[in-house]
Amino acid sequence: MILPIRAFGDPVLRKVAKDIDKDYPGLQELIGNMFETMYSANGIGLAAPQIGLDIRLFVIDVSPLAEDEDYEDIQDELAEFKKVFINAKILEESGEEWKFNEGCLSIPDVREDVKRKETIVIEYYDENFVKHTETFSDIRARVIQHEYDHIEGILFTDHLSALKKKLVKGKLTKITQGDVSIGYKMRFPK
């Protein structure tokens, strides 16, 4: 089922999400719905707060990037990088900060350069509640960091300079008012 994505200004996007356990009601169906919602919006990541749930769950599928010539050296890894992250905790961020132009399904029509560290170590449970501790670099780390921010109540616009924040303020206001043209299901703040 395709769920409406919460728009910038919705209070759930600012909550620090809560851990869940393996008995969370309808978990497998929820994960399936999140992937379906993400695909219908042409996204590569979606966090539970973006569909109105303040739980520590996000899904990622970066396989569409495997065909991008910028990632020729990691195409095989990207093609198979589809994961579920439950109760994730970033344990370490390291390496140089690098800029990348980010966008967000909850903030349509806004894209800005954001600096993030190049490598992360993250602990999480998969959809079967098997615990993992893994290290990721490159665009995979970037997408994980973006989705992880969502479960911490942080949006990519929070990483912008004061000047950039002023420059996008008008667009953000329009989003909160529902004055934006999008090609997917969205729920705007009341």
Side-chain angles (χ1 to χ4, degrees):
M1 176 192 330
I2 296 172
L3 306 167
I5 294 173
R6 300 296 177 102
F8 179 86
D10 191 306
V12 74
L13 297 174
R14 292 303 189 174
K15 288 185 176 181
V16 175
K18 299 178 286 236
D19 283 351
I20 60 172
D21 62 28
K22 65 181 180 353
D23 298 321
Y24 186 84
L27 181 60
Q28 296 307 316
E29 182 181 3
L30 173 61
I31 290 167
N33 290 343
M34 286 179 68
F35 275 115
E36 187 177 353
T37 300
M38 178 184 76
Y39 294 141
S40 76
N42 295 314
I44 57 173
L46 185 70
Q50 292 180 276
I51 56 161
L53 300 173
D54 63 340
I55 60 172
R56 296 184 77 80
L57 165 64
F58 59 89
V59 299
I60 290 175
D61 184 351
V62 297
S63 60
L65 301 178
E67 297 176 25
D68 189 319
E69 60 189 41
D70 289 341
Y71 306 113
E72 276 182 312
D73 54 333
I74 56 170
Q75 283 178 326
D76 292 341
E77 293 94 329
L78 295 180
E80 301 192 11
F81 196 79
K82 177 180 176 180
K83 287 190 174 288
V84 175
F85 293 81
I86 300 171
N87 300 340
K89 302 271 189 284
I90 290 181
L91 304 176
E92 183 183 332
E93 294 178 304
S94 61
E96 295 293 314
E97 284 193 338
W98 59 291
K99 280 186 188 177
F100 187 82
N101 194 259
E102 291 188 26
C104 180
L105 296 176
S106 292
I107 311 175
D109 297 335
V110 176
R111 296 195 65 84
E112 290 293 336
D113 287 344
V114 175
K115 286 184 183 178
R116 296 189 190 269
K117 296 278 189 175
E118 62 188 346
T119 302
I120 61 165
V121 178
I122 189 168
E123 180 182 276
Y124 68 97
Y125 292 88
D126 64 21
E127 63 274 21
N128 299 312
F129 258 84
V130 175
K131 191 173 187 177
H132 301 268
T133 302
E134 294 184 283
T135 302
F136 297 105
S137 295
D138 59 60
I139 192 68
R140 291 167 290 183
R142 165 77 52 168
V143 176
I144 292 167
Q145 288 165 314
H146 178 105
E147 298 309 324
Y148 183 84
D149 274 358
H150 276 298
I151 64 172
E152 291 292 320
I154 299 167
L155 300 172
F156 85 92
T157 51
D158 297 339
H159 294 284
L160 303 179
S161 69
L163 175 62
K164 287 284 188 182
K165 285 179 184 175
K166 281 183 183 177
L167 293 173
V168 300
K169 187 176 183 193
K171 287 182 179 180
L172 297 177
T173 300
K174 284 184 173 196
I175 293 167
T176 61
Q177 297 166 346
D179 185 13
V180 63
S181 176
I182 47 167
Y184 50 89
K185 231 173 147 175
M186 213 163 185
R187 180 173 167 189
F188 297 94
K190 294 177 178 161

